[in-house]
């Protein structure tokens, strides 16, 4: 089932040659542009169209964590995991309308720069270090590991480390060209991703149809999924009752599975808690994502972000339905030997015919490589612009500026020569940092030291990112729209968000019990022992609430208008008819989806 034929390798090779050739052409073309080397490498300033921005956002976002992790959660929980994707479409509307005007008017190029401009140097440095650690030890490691698991599942488990290295090298090659190369090759990547993804789910549904004696009919296959697993097609999971909790504490596996699903996606309550924090922080306060739009003008950035939101509506079909198909096939005895939920997607790919299997691997590789390349570029951008140039090259920059001033007075050409040298040094610093980051990720995931495989890839990323998301989002939202917010409040907010996230995960239940006005804890199994946990999305919601409370309290002790507050005006947020039309279309589609699967 998992063997590849020559046609599969040919299809994959064609994909690789097209992406590499196009990337090389874009790289050579950009050398003739008038944009400075560093801004071209880090931001692709002014050169990405709205459709390139939108495609790049999706290609960088949809990676192994979705294809493997979300498909695995689709296998385990069902369609409710699509809330991450579908609410992202609404979050992107908010980002396009309200966040981007603030960023672009104040010429913000990195997220630490935002924090320095709005607050102070201390907040900026703390968060730059936080983001670098998060990107390397949570995001890069999980993307590499899950991607290698998926592809090696098709070509043979013994090739796990070979695949990991190949993905890392491919991503580094694209990263060397900078954000412009990443942005435009992502257009090809997302096209391959969508075509290969839809082809995969089409054949998955026809396989389900065939296995249940209904012929090769994708629609019949989808109806079969709904008939044989109706609980997998509910957006809102019910809260486990006392009987279920009692059964789980007594060792009932089915009851424990019900509780574990709720711990991942806690029903309607998650829509009033962490789900919004996850999406708004990820899409609006994340260098890795916002970087694609920061080099564009406002209208181009808005259309690109809204286009990405429209594409997000389709993503659950591609990345989640294969997991549900794997669940129905496995429980009906047609998919024996499935090792775990993170193997669901590769198990479905194993059914595909020759040629299409190669396209599916190309789609998966496109998602993984695009995400890795974008993440590596963001790591290089933050380190170079917010740490290296500020703290390691500070003296050199001062000396260079003095030399430029003297040369300018003398009428010599020393100004341009020094500037070119600085620009090249910045670009090469970014490239070296990217190389070091990917090496660290490989080292930590060579033997899965972080335990991603045991927790489930998608949940691993969401939970551990959630430790800093409440504090970060509180800093950004108050910093943008409340003029009274102070730098001291920002530092306190960051520390409060982290402390409260840890408190609710580890200490709230032992101190206050399983049931309080703030939360309900449930039993689960960790490292072979039964422990009581609060759903992590609820933890995030309360951590955000207390962070906001602390920041507002501290800021009230300061001036009525902070000197570093941004100047906002209504004209910044005015929308063109074309933008309004895109927003209305997205909202109507989303409303129809929730009405159908509530």
């Amino acid at each position: 089932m998992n063997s590849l034929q020559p046609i599969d390798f040919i299809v994959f090779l064609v994909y690789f040659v097209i992406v590499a050739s196009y990337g090389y052409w874009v790289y050579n073309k950009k050398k003739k542009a008038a944009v400075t080397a560093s801004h071209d490498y880090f931001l692709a300033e002014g050169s990405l169209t709205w459709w390139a921005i939108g495609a790049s956002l999706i290609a960088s976002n949809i990676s192994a964590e979705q294809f493997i992790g979300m498909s695995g959660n689709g296998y385990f929980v069902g369609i409710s995991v699509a809330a991450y994707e579908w609410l992202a479409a609404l979050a992107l509307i908010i980002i396009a309308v309200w966040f981007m005007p603030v960023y672009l008017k104040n010429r913000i190029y990195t997220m630490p720069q935002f924090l320095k401009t709005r607050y102070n140097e201390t907040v900026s440095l703390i968060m730059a270090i936080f983001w670098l650690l998060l990107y390397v030890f949570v995001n890069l490691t999980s993307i590499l590991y899950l991607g290698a698991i998926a592809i090696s599942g098709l070509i043979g488990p013994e090739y796990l480390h070979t695949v990991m290295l190949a993905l890392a090298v491919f991503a580094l090659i694209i990263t060397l060209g900078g954000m412009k190369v990443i942005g435009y090759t992502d257009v090809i990547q997302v096209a391959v991703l969508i075509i290969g993804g839809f082809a995969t789910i089409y054949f998955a549904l026809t396989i389900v149809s065939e296995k249940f004696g209904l012929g090769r009919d994708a629609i019949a296959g989808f109806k079969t999924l709904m008939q044989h697993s109706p609980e997998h097609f509910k957006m809102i999971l019910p809260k486990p009752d006392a009987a279920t909790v009692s059964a789980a504490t007594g060792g009932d596996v089915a009851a424990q599975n019900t509780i574990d699903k709720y711990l991942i996606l806690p029903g309607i309550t998650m829509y009033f808690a962490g789900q919004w924090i996850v999406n708004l922080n990820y899409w609006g306060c994340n260098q890795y994502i916002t970087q694609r739009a920061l080099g564009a003008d406002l209208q181009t950035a808005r259309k690109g972000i809204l286009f990405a939101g429209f594409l997000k509506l389709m993503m659950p079909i591609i990345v989640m339905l294969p997991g549900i198909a794997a669940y129905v096939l496995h429980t009906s005895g047609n998919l024996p030997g499935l090792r775990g939920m993170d193997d669901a997607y590769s198990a479905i790919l194993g059914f595909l015919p020759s040629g299409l299997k190669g396209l599916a691997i190309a789609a998966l590789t496109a998602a993984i490589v695009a995400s890795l390349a974008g993440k590596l570029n963001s790591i290089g951008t933050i380190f170079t612009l917010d740490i290296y140039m500020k703290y390691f090259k500070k003296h050199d920059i001062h000396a260079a500026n003095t030399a430029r001033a003297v040369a300018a007075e003398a009428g010599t050409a020393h100004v341009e020569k020094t500037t070119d040298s600085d620009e090249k040094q910045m670009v090469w610093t970014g490239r070296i940092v990217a190389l070091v980051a990917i090496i660290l990720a490989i080292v930590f995931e060579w033997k899965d030291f972080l335990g991603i495989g045991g927790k489930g890839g998608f949940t691993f990323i969401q939970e551990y990112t959630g430790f800093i998301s409440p504090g970060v989002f509180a800093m950004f939202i108050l910093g943008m729209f409340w003029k009274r917010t102070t730098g001291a409040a920002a530092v306190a907010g960051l520390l409060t968000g982290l402390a409260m996230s840890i408190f609710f995960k580890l200490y709230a239940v032992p101190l206050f019990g399983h049931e309080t006005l703030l939360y309900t804890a449930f039993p689960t199994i960790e490292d072979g022992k039964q422990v009581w946990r609060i759903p992590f999305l609820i933890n995030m919601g309360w951590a955000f609430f207390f962070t906001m409370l602390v920041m507002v309290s501290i800021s009230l002790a300061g001036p009525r208008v902070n000197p570093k507050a941004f100047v906002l005006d209504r004209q910044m947020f005015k929308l063109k008819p074309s933008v309004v039309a895109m927003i209305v279309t997205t909202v109507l589609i989303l409303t129809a989806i929730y009405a159908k699967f509530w």
Side-chain angles (χ1 to χ4, degrees):
M1 183 173 68
N2 289 337
S3 61
L4 298 179
Q5 300 300 317
I7 185 64
D8 295 311
F9 290 102
I10 292 172
V11 170
F12 182 82
L13 183 62
V14 169
Y15 149 74
F16 179 85
V17 169
I18 290 174
V19 172
S21 300
Y22 184 61
Y24 183 72
W25 178 78
V26 171
Y27 177 75
N28 280 330
K29 185 179 178 182
K30 76 171 187 167
K31 286 182 178 179
K32 303 174 183 178
V35 183
T36 61
S38 63
H39 277 203
D40 197 39
Y41 180 81
F42 295 120
L43 293 168
E45 188 169 23
S47 61
L48 294 182
T49 60
W50 65 266
W51 46 267
I53 290 172
S56 186
L57 283 169
I58 294 303
S60 298
N61 165 247
I62 301 298
S63 185
E65 67 179 277
Q66 274 80 18
F67 269 104
I68 310 307
M70 187 170 282
S71 184
N73 273 10
Y75 172 91
F76 182 58
V77 182
I79 199 173
S80 57
V81 75
Y84 282 100
E85 301 297 295
W86 287 331
L87 281 191
L90 285 182
L92 283 164
I93 292 174
I94 295 171
I95 304 306
V97 174
W98 285 288
F99 283 37
M100 289 312 298
V102 178
Y103 287 144
L104 296 179
K105 181 178 180 180
N106 293 280
R107 298 187 63 79
I108 300 298
Y109 297 128
T110 70
M111 296 301 97
Q113 181 200 349
F114 169 91
L115 296 174
K116 179 188 175 184
T117 303
R118 179 58 182 85
Y119 295 118
N120 55 53
E121 193 86 36
T122 302
V123 177
S124 174
L125 179 60
I126 291 172
M127 279 313 304
I129 295 171
F130 260 111
W131 271 312
L132 289 175
L133 294 174
L134 180 70
Y135 288 169
V136 173
F137 295 108
V138 174
N139 297 105
L140 277 184
T141 52
S142 57
I143 293 168
L144 261 182
Y145 179 76
L146 293 173
I149 284 287
I151 296 175
S152 64
L154 288 168
I155 63 177
E158 66 273 18
Y159 294 107
L160 173 67
H161 294 133
T162 303
V163 171
M164 192 181 294
L165 291 173
L167 290 172
V169 171
F170 193 1
L172 270 177
I173 291 172
I174 294 177
T175 306
L176 292 176
M179 182 51 66
K180 185 172 181 179
V181 172
I182 293 171
Y184 279 108
T185 54
D186 278 353
V187 175
I188 298 177
Q189 307 274 43
V190 82
V192 173
L193 186 158
I194 291 174
I195 294 170
F198 272 108
T200 299
I201 192 56
Y202 172 79
F203 273 90
L205 292 176
T206 59
I207 291 164
V208 171
S209 178
E210 281 185 325
K211 296 296 183 181
F212 283 85
L214 302 173
R216 295 182 60 82
D217 188 337
I219 296 177
F222 181 73
K223 291 179 178 178
T224 300
L225 295 185
M226 296 186 70
Q227 290 170 0
H228 285 262
S229 185
E231 71 280 2
H232 274 64
F233 288 89
K234 298 294 182 182
M235 287 298 300
I236 308 298
L237 298 181
K239 183 178 179 179
D241 56 22
T244 303
V245 173
S246 177
T249 56
D252 187 301
V253 175
Q256 187 62 67
N257 282 339
T258 299
I259 289 174
D260 287 344
K261 292 175 184 179
Y262 191 80
L263 285 171
I264 296 172
L265 295 158
I268 192 68
T269 56
M270 72 178 178
Y271 290 90
F272 299 97
Q275 192 61 252
W276 285 106
I277 300 167
V278 167
N279 276 296
L280 289 172
N281 178 68
Y282 178 86
W283 293 101
C285 315
N286 183 352
Q287 178 70 28
Y288 168 56
I289 293 299
T290 55
Q291 190 168 342
R292 276 124 185 94
L294 292 179
D297 62 83
L298 180 57
Q299 293 307 316
T300 302
R302 271 181 169 160
K303 287 185 177 179
I305 292 170
L306 293 174
F307 178 53
F310 180 76
L311 292 176
K312 286 297 281 184
L313 297 176
M314 296 188 292
M315 290 303 111
I317 301 172
I318 295 173
V319 301
M320 179 201 60
L321 273 183
I324 300 178
Y327 174 82
V328 171
L329 289 172
H330 180 62
T331 53
S332 64
N334 292 299
L335 191 59
L338 192 67
R339 293 173 295 177
M341 61 181 181
D342 279 343
D343 291 321
Y345 192 80
S346 56
I348 288 295
L349 294 188
F351 282 109
L352 301 182
S354 298
L356 185 58
K357 197 179 294 183
L359 179 63
I361 295 175
L364 184 57
T365 304
I368 296 165
V369 168
S371 190
L372 286 174
K375 192 70 71 179
L376 289 171
N377 187 271
S378 294
I379 290 168
T381 300
I382 290 176
F383 181 86
T384 303
L385 300 185
D386 296 298
I387 295 179
Y388 180 74
M389 297 305 292
K390 285 183 181 178
Y391 301 101
F392 293 92
K393 291 292 292 179
K394 198 170 186 178
H395 176 75
D396 292 350
I397 291 172
H398 176 72
N401 287 337
T402 303
R404 291 190 190 105
V406 172
E409 284 186 20
T412 66
H414 183 68
V415 178
E416 287 300 320
K417 185 175 181 181
T418 306
T419 302
D420 289 344
S421 175
D422 290 344
E423 294 289 333
K424 289 178 181 178
Q425 188 175 37
M426 290 169 69
V427 170
W428 275 105
T429 300
R431 289 169 174 165
I432 292 170
V433 169
L435 175 61
V436 172
I438 199 69
I439 290 173
L440 284 173
I442 290 171
V443 169
F444 272 82
E445 276 318 302
W446 200 254
K447 297 292 184 180
D448 191 19
F449 291 135
L450 300 178
I452 296 172
K455 184 173 285 289
F458 190 75
T459 302
F460 172 86
I461 294 172
Q462 301 305 326
E463 183 170 356
Y464 285 97
T465 302
F467 277 98
I468 68 166
S469 295
V472 173
F473 182 57
M475 284 195 303
F476 272 78
I477 198 75
L478 288 178
M480 284 185 189
F481 302 112
W482 194 38
K483 294 182 178 181
R484 199 159 183 167
T485 317
T486 64
V491 174
L494 177 62
L495 297 176
T496 301
L498 179 60
M500 295 306 297
S501 296
I502 295 173
F503 172 77
F504 277 108
K505 179 176 175 62
L506 299 177
Y507 302 110
V509 175
L511 287 174
F512 301 114
H514 303 157
E515 185 85 35
T516 71
L517 289 174
L518 300 185
Y519 64 80
T520 300
F522 299 93
T524 188
I525 305 298
E526 293 182 4
D527 298 325
K529 299 178 181 178
Q530 188 175 77
V531 295
W532 290 74
R533 292 285 185 240
I534 308 165
F536 70 87
L537 287 171
I538 305 302
N539 290 347
M540 288 178 63
W542 283 118
F544 176 72
F545 173 81
F546 286 111
T547 299
M548 292 285 282
L549 196 63
V550 167
M551 288 187 66
V552 168
S553 299
I554 293 175
S555 296
L556 287 174
R560 293 182 65 85
V561 177
N562 189 282
K564 287 198 167 189
F566 293 130
V567 177
L568 307 178
D569 59 76
R570 291 186 179 182
Q571 197 65 28
M572 292 169 57
F573 307 106
K574 192 174 182 179
L575 304 178
K576 290 190 174 182
S578 58
V579 171
V580 174
M582 295 176 77
I583 292 173
V584 171
T585 301
T586 300
V587 171
L588 289 176
I589 294 173
L590 199 56
T591 301
I593 291 172
Y594 268 82
K596 171 65 178 176
F597 295 109
W598 184 267

